[in-house]
Amino acid sequence: MSYVDEVYDYVVEKNPAQPEFHQAVKEVLESLRVVIEKDEEKYRKEALLERIVTPERQILFRVPWVDDKGQVQVNNGFRVQFNSAIGPYKGGLRFHPSVNLGIIKFLGFEQIFKNSLTGLPIGGGKGGCDFDPKGKSDNEIMRFCQSFMTELYRHIGADTDVPAGDIGVGGREIGYLYGQYKRIRDVYEGVLTGKGLTYGGSLARTEATGYGLVYLTEELLKDHGTSLKGKTVVVSGAGNVAIYATQKAQQLGATVVSVSDSTGWIYDPEGIDVELLRDVKEVKRARLTEYANARKSAEYHEKKNGEHGVWNIKCDVALPCATQNELDLEDAKALVANGVTAVCEGANMPTTIEATEYLQKNNVLFVCGKAANAGGVATSALEMSQNSERLSWTFEEVDSKLQGIMANIYKSISEAAKEYGMEGNYVAGANIAGFKKVATAMEAQGVV
Ligand code: NDP
Ligand code: 2IT
């Protein structure tokens, strides 16, 4: 059996009941097959793949807190410190009721390669909690974040592990987490990114993932002789990534006709009104029905079982920006039938493996999240640099660095795909280019 297949079987056996983690590993290992099989005995002897699929450290902890009625609640906290070969662990925290160890491991594993692609010195990690922020008061969110940090603080630090936001964790949560870290440790350091601008945050971090996604999409289209100008774009999600992807795509002349959340979606043929969307989602923290109520051109559709939501809308470009496995084979077929030309992932692993293969087979330009959404973590690394030098850069300075990073990512993933005879396969290109730097660093550092 080939080494790649042996390691995939090993992962499934050692990590039972973690389907998202298996899926993320499968995608990476399939891409690496060409690299590994050139020098299989060396890699097998070093057990390089077993090492890269095994987290360096996994922390599981209890998060007790008291709700507004005086009832004690208990949640499960996680931090997976996956790989520190090229820098301190770096990756977000997700607060969502679906969070479990397998989901955090898939996210942490992908983060290793994504962070490598940024060209910046950051290792891979991810964390979170099965806490549901929906419907909680500000005080409940604060008490929960304080309890979460009361355990997490001992495992993180500006040069050790630097968490940030993800689903359910934005500026408000980062603020409460930072306050509690500072109180316990009595150090003022850049231990989290995505901080507020008054206490060490970076300009453009809020926008960075969505903007970066669109910068990369524009590079991709440019390389294929076109651009976003005049294109119809479908976006899923209505959170941090979706909002700023929509804003930037429209600034570049596209019309974004949809957004979605966990209960429904909006079709707005005149183009999403980003200021209204921000007010509904960032300020009021309300449902998308509020958006539809405030805008004549918008239709609201309730999500029903078996319905395929935004992927049935005719578009040129699709940007999935909500969550994992939200775009399946049926959705991919609908997109292709409607003439989609490019799909770039704002979310982490939003497209199933079958859907990805279908899109690629049908000549849809497809860029996976590791490359396409790396602008968020890249700008987090820029926030770390600013914190280290105790300076802050202008919006334009950060934004122009972000543009340069996304252009470099596109270049390195297309070149890696070409080098291994898979021109245009940006999934393979991203996994190979991300892997090579990490593997070289691991080999140089010996068996650790
Ligand atoms: P937010 O919490 O800001 O927004 C998430 C959006 O997705 C919300 O509209 C939410 O709906 C929807 N959503 C979440 N879970 C589900 C679900 N199970 N089913 C349907 N809809 C769902 O998160 P972000 O925008 O930060 O993250 C979106 C994606 O982007 C995630 O995959 C994340 O890992 C990835 N990502 C984020 C980065 C960042 O910097 N924030 C960087 C790189 C990737 P509702 O409002 O109803 O909850
Ligand atoms: O998935 C991701 O890259 C993020 N949620 C951002 C991580 C970070 O450290 O900024």
Side-chain angles (χ1 to χ4, degrees):
M1 199 192 259
S2 83
Y3 178 42
V4 162
D5 295 321
E6 277 170 29
V7 173
Y8 180 69
D9 289 353
Y10 165 89
V11 166
V12 172
E13 189 198 323
K14 291 282 177 196
N15 304 272
Q18 296 184 353
E20 293 87 0
F21 181 49
H22 303 167
Q23 181 183 341
V25 169
K26 188 180 188 126
E27 183 211 283
V28 170
L29 289 182
E30 280 308 325
S31 298
L32 295 182
R33 197 181 282 280
V34 283
V35 180
I36 301 296
E37 292 185 353
K38 275 194 172 159
D39 219 345
E40 194 173 70
E41 284 322 303
K42 177 187 80 122
Y43 287 120
R44 187 184 268 129
K45 188 154 188 214
E46 291 175 339
L48 193 88
L49 293 182
E50 286 89 337
R51 284 194 279 151
I52 215 164
V53 299
T54 306
E56 290 175 12
R57 193 174 296 107
Q58 307 184 52
I59 301 140
L60 276 64
F61 53 99
R62 181 172 70 196
V63 189
W65 57 281
V66 184
D67 72 15
D68 286 347
K69 294 189 189 114
Q71 174 66 49
V72 176
Q73 302 283 347
V74 180
N75 287 102
N76 295 284
F78 305 87
R79 185 74 184 165
V80 173
Q81 299 179 330
F82 223 117
N83 192 300
S84 61
I86 65 168
Y89 309 108
K90 182 82 197 86
L93 296 172
R94 177 177 290 191
F95 293 168
H96 192 271
S98 63
V99 162
N100 58 41
L101 183 59
I103 287 182
I104 298 300
K105 277 164 69 179
F106 116 65
L107 291 162
F109 182 69
E110 295 236 303
Q111 201 83 42
I112 303 170
F113 307 97
K114 180 195 306 191
N115 293 3
S116 169
L117 285 172
T118 66
L120 300 166
I122 39 179
K126 198 83 186 191
C129 192
D130 58 5
F131 171 73
D132 187 356
K134 281 214 181 80
K136 303 291 189 294
S137 69
D138 267 5
N139 278 328
E140 288 176 321
I141 298 283
M142 181 176 75
R143 287 195 296 275
F144 168 80
C145 287
Q146 289 175 341
S147 178
F148 187 84
M149 186 52 85
T150 301
E151 173 59 34
L152 186 68
Y153 87 90
R154 67 186 87 240
H155 308 291
I156 62 176
D159 294 312
T160 310
D161 181 355
V162 183
D166 193 80
I167 291 178
V169 178
R172 173 181 61 172
E173 292 73 21
I174 294 292
Y176 294 143
L177 291 164
Y178 189 76
Q180 185 72 349
Y181 179 86
K182 181 166 62 66
R183 186 176 190 198
I184 298 174
R185 292 291 300 269
D186 199 20
V187 278
Y188 207 104
E189 61 173 2
V191 65
L192 296 165
T193 60
K195 299 185 293 299
L197 298 177
T198 53
Y199 62 95
S202 173
L203 284 160
R205 174 63 189 89
T206 304
E207 296 84 353
T209 310
Y211 279 21
L213 168 67
V214 172
Y215 294 148
L216 184 129
T217 306
E218 187 75 342
E219 284 294 317
L220 169 77
L221 295 179
K222 244 175 40 195
D223 196 26
H224 291 82
T226 178
S227 75
L228 276 164
K229 199 168 186 327
K231 298 273 189 304
T232 300
V233 177
V234 158
V235 166
S236 67
N240 174 266
V241 181
I243 289 171
Y244 294 98
T246 300
Q247 186 178 65
K248 183 53 71 180
Q250 300 203 140
Q251 283 171 6
L252 296 185
T255 306
V256 177
V257 295
S258 72
V259 287
S260 67
D261 66 14
S262 48
T263 52
W265 79 92
I266 293 288
Y267 174 59
D268 190 344
E270 287 184 12
I272 295 293
D273 177 340
V274 174
E275 285 319 303
L276 175 60
L277 181 64
R278 288 184 59 197
D279 184 56
V280 170
K281 283 294 171 185
E282 292 179 350
V283 182
K284 298 195 176 111
R285 299 179 189 277
R287 313 303 320 161
L288 284 173
T289 43
E290 299 275 317
Y291 178 96
N293 291 342
R295 191 155 156 96
K296 274 210 179 77
S297 56
E299 289 169 18
Y300 177 77
H301 298 261
E302 192 86 22
K303 195 179 268 178
K304 296 184 197 103
N305 267 347
E307 265 193 34
H308 286 269
V310 296
W311 312 124
N312 274 335
I313 301 169
K314 186 173 170 53
C315 65
D316 304 303
V317 174
L319 304 175
C321 296
T323 193
Q324 64 273 2
N325 292 328
E326 54 162 316
L327 197 167
D328 65 16
L329 182 58
E330 288 307 306
D331 302 326
K333 286 181 177 167
L335 284 167
V336 168
N338 280 325
V340 77
T341 57
V343 176
C344 296
E345 295 184 326
N348 287 308
M349 208 169 76
T351 314
T352 64
I353 290 183
E354 298 73 28
T356 301
E357 287 169 357
Y358 186 85
L359 293 169
Q360 289 176 322
K361 269 188 201 129
N362 284 278
N363 300 318
V364 176
L365 303 170
F366 180 84
V367 183
C368 56
K370 284 184 196 85
N373 71 35
V377 74
T379 306
S380 279
L382 301 179
E383 182 172 328
M384 290 165 71
S385 301
Q386 293 169 76
N387 292 162
S388 297
E389 61 174 18
R390 296 183 195 279
L391 291 173
S392 40
W393 306 338
T394 63
F395 188 97
E396 290 69 28
E397 205 172 342
V398 179
D399 189 40
S400 100
K401 285 190 163 69
L402 171 63
Q403 289 181 47
I405 290 167
M406 299 316 294
N408 277 337
I409 292 177
Y410 178 70
K411 190 163 173 274
S412 63
I413 67 173
S414 29
E415 282 175 359
K418 234 181 250 169
E419 187 187 334
Y420 285 88
M422 293 182 280
E423 189 167 352
N425 184 342
Y426 303 107
V427 175
N431 289 325
I432 292 170
F435 169 78
K436 278 188 151 180
K437 178 178 178 188
V438 176
T440 307
M442 286 174 73
E443 285 168 336
Q445 292 170 31
V447 180
V448 291

Coordinates of all heavy atoms in Angstrom, one line a residue, residues 90-92 111 114-115 126 162-166 193 205 348 373 376-377 380, ligand 2:
K90 N -1.2 29.7 15.5 CA -2.1 30.8 15.1 C -3.3 30.3 14.5 O -3.3 29.5 13.6 CB -1.3 31.7 14.1 CG -2.1 33.0 13.7 CD -1.9 34.1 14.8 CE -3.0 35.2 14.6 NZ -4.2 34.9 15.4
G91 N -4.5 30.8 14.9 CA -5.7 30.4 14.4 C -6.9 30.8 15.3 O -6.7 31.1 16.5
G92 N -8.1 30.8 14.7 CA -9.2 31.4 15.4 C -9.8 30.6 16.5 O -9.4 29.4 16.7
Q111 N -5.3 25.0 8.9 CA -4.6 26.3 9.3 C -3.1 26.2 9.1 O -2.5 27.1 8.7 CB -5.0 26.6 10.7 CG -4.8 28.1 11.1 CD -6.0 29.0 10.7 OE1 -7.1 28.6 10.9 NE2 -5.7 30.2 10.1
K114 N -2.6 26.8 5.3 CA -3.0 28.2 5.0 C -2.0 29.2 5.5 O -1.5 30.1 4.8 CB -4.4 28.5 5.7 CG -4.9 29.9 5.5 CD -6.0 30.2 6.5 CE -7.2 29.2 6.5 NZ -8.4 29.7 7.2
N115 N -1.6 29.0 6.8 CA -0.6 30.0 7.4 C 0.7 30.0 6.7 O 1.4 31.0 6.5 CB -0.5 29.7 8.9 CG -1.8 30.0 9.6 OD1 -2.8 30.3 9.0 ND2 -1.7 29.9 10.9
K126 N -6.1 26.0 16.3 CA -7.5 26.4 16.3 C -8.2 26.0 17.6 O -7.7 25.1 18.3 CB -8.3 25.6 15.2 CG -9.6 26.3 14.8 CD -9.4 27.4 13.8 CE -10.6 28.1 13.5 NZ -10.4 29.0 12.3
V162 N -1.4 32.4 19.5 CA -2.2 33.6 19.4 C -3.5 33.4 18.7 O -3.7 33.4 17.5 CB -1.3 34.7 18.6 CG1 -2.0 36.0 18.5 CG2 0.1 34.8 19.1
P163 N -4.6 33.2 19.5 CA -5.9 33.0 19.0 C -6.5 34.3 18.4 O -6.0 35.4 18.6 CB -6.8 32.5 20.2 CG -5.8 32.1 21.2 CD -4.6 33.0 21.0
A164 N -7.6 34.1 17.6 CA -8.3 35.2 17.0 C -9.8 34.8 16.9 O -10.2 33.9 17.6 CB -7.7 35.5 15.6
G165 N -10.5 35.5 16.0 CA -12.0 35.2 15.9 C -12.2 34.1 14.8 O -11.3 33.7 14.1
D166 N -13.4 33.6 14.8 CA -14.0 32.7 13.7 C -15.5 32.8 13.9 O -16.0 33.8 14.5 CB -13.4 31.3 13.9 CG -13.7 30.4 12.7 OD1 -12.9 30.5 11.7 OD2 -14.7 29.6 12.7
T193 N -5.5 38.4 18.2 CA -5.6 39.3 17.1 C -7.1 39.5 16.8 O -7.9 38.8 17.3 CB -4.8 38.9 15.9 OG1 -5.3 37.7 15.5 CG2 -3.4 38.8 16.1
R205 N -8.1 44.7 9.8 CA -8.3 43.3 10.2 C -9.7 42.8 10.0 O -10.0 41.7 9.6 CB -7.7 43.0 11.6 CG -8.0 41.5 12.1 CD -7.3 40.5 11.2 NE -7.7 39.1 11.5 CZ -8.7 38.4 10.9 NH1 -9.5 39.0 10.0 NH2 -8.9 37.2 11.1
N348 N -14.1 27.9 5.6 CA -13.2 26.8 5.6 C -13.9 25.5 5.2 O -14.9 25.2 5.9 CB -12.6 26.7 7.0 CG -11.6 27.8 7.3 OD1 -10.7 28.0 6.6 ND2 -11.8 28.5 8.4
N373 N -9.1 32.2 1.6 CA -9.5 33.0 2.8 C -8.3 33.3 3.7 O -8.5 33.7 4.9 CB -10.6 32.4 3.6 CG -10.2 31.1 4.3 OD1 -9.1 30.9 4.8 ND2 -11.2 30.1 4.4
G376 N -7.3 36.8 6.1 CA -7.7 37.1 7.5 C -6.5 36.8 8.4 O -6.0 37.7 9.2
V377 N -6.0 35.6 8.4 CA -4.9 35.2 9.3 C -3.6 36.0 8.9 O -2.8 36.3 9.7 CB -4.7 33.7 9.3 CG1 -4.0 33.2 8.1 CG2 -3.9 33.3 10.5
S380 N -3.9 39.1 10.6 CA -3.6 38.9 12.0 C -2.1 38.9 12.3 O -1.6 39.4 13.3 CB -4.2 37.5 12.4 OG -5.5 37.6 12.7
Ligands
2IT2 O1 -9.8 30.4 9.7 C1 -9.1 31.4 9.9 O2 -8.1 31.6 9.2 C2 -9.5 32.4 10.9 N1 -10.5 32.2 11.5 C3 -8.6 33.6 11.2 C4 -7.5 33.1 12.1 C5 -6.6 34.2 12.7 O3 -5.7 33.9 13.5 O4 -6.8 35.4 12.3

